């Protein structure tokens, strides 16, 4: 039986979006953008400003920014590649909002991320708390820079 795959991603600046589109093409997967109800501005993303929106959200990991929509057909997929930038060593809290908005029971969630300098850290453990225990969350890879289509295909085949 063929499995159906989705690449869902949150991208604040476009970097993760480019990686997600390349991954979706390599995996022959559908693509879904996780969009916050209020898009992030450059000022919101200023991590040096303790009062910026991203700093405030990431200092309160119970923060759940609203989504622009919740129309992803998660039930139609067996595997979901979930991508995001690493903020403060974890996924942005809007990713938790996404995970808590759907039933991922029985799904395999493979994480991928982009980062300016840190690895996954405790991201998988944090995100596991936002999905059903019947979902499998797997730390995947950092997709920084340009990854060839053939390298992405090889990786997809291993998961």
């Amino acid at each position: 039986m063929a499995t159906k795959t989705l690449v869902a991603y949150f991208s604040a600046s476009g970097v993760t979006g480019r990686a997600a589109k390349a991954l979706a093409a390599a995996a022959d997967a559908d693509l879904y953008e996780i969009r916050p109800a209020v898009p992030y501005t450059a000022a919101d993303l200023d991590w040096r400003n303790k009062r910026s929106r991203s700093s405030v959200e990431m200092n309160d990991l119970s923060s759940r920014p609203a989504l622009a929509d919740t129309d992803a057909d998660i039930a139609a997929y067996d595997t979901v590649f979930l991508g995001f930038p690493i903020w403060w060593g974890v996924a942005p809290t809007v990713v938790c909002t996404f995970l808590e908005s759907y039933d991922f029971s029985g799904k395999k969630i493979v994480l991928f991320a982009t980062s300016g300098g840190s690895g996954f850290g405790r991201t998988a453990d944090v995100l596991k708390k936002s999905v059903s225990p019947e979902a499998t969350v797997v730390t995947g890879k950092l997709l920084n820079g340009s990854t060839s289509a053939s390298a992405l295909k090889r990786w997809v085949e291993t998961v």
Side-chain angles (χ1 to χ4, degrees):
M1 177 171 90
T3 62
K4 192 153 184 212
T5 304
L6 175 68
V7 174
Y9 70 95
F10 165 70
S11 185
S13 66
V15 174
T16 306
R18 286 188 293 278
K21 289 171 186 166
L23 178 58
D28 192 26
D30 294 335
L31 191 63
Y32 180 81
E33 182 178 5
I34 300 164
R35 296 178 304 111
V38 177
Y40 290 88
T41 66
D44 291 337
L45 300 174
D46 183 1
W47 58 271
R48 293 171 297 240
N49 178 351
K50 292 182 189 287
R51 293 185 182 168
S52 74
R53 178 177 165 197
S54 61
S55 294
V56 169
E57 289 174 2
M58 297 311 293
N59 281 318
D60 176 8
L61 293 181
S62 66
S63 167
R64 295 296 183 266
L67 298 173
D69 60 64
T70 53
D71 59 359
D73 186 12
I74 298 301
Y77 300 95
D78 306 296
T79 302
V80 177
F81 284 86
L82 178 60
F84 44 83
I86 297 289
W87 289 1
W88 289 261
V90 294
T93 55
V94 71
V95 174
C96 294
T97 306
F98 171 75
L99 289 172
E100 293 166 7
S101 297
Y102 297 95
D103 182 4
F104 285 89
S105 299
K107 310 292 180 195
K108 182 177 192 178
I109 303 169
V110 181
L111 306 179
F112 70 95
T114 57
S115 173
S118 61
F120 274 96
R122 63 190 207 286
T123 303
D125 292 334
V126 170
L127 294 181
K128 284 178 185 176
K129 295 174 185 170
S130 291
V131 295
S132 156
E134 290 83 29
T136 303
V137 177
V138 177
T139 299
K141 20 178 349 134
L142 289 175
L143 297 180
N144 291 328
S146 140
T147 306
S148 73
S150 60
L152 287 171
K153 280 185 187 222
R154 283 192 303 276
W155 175 54
V156 167
E157 290 168 0
T158 69
V159 298

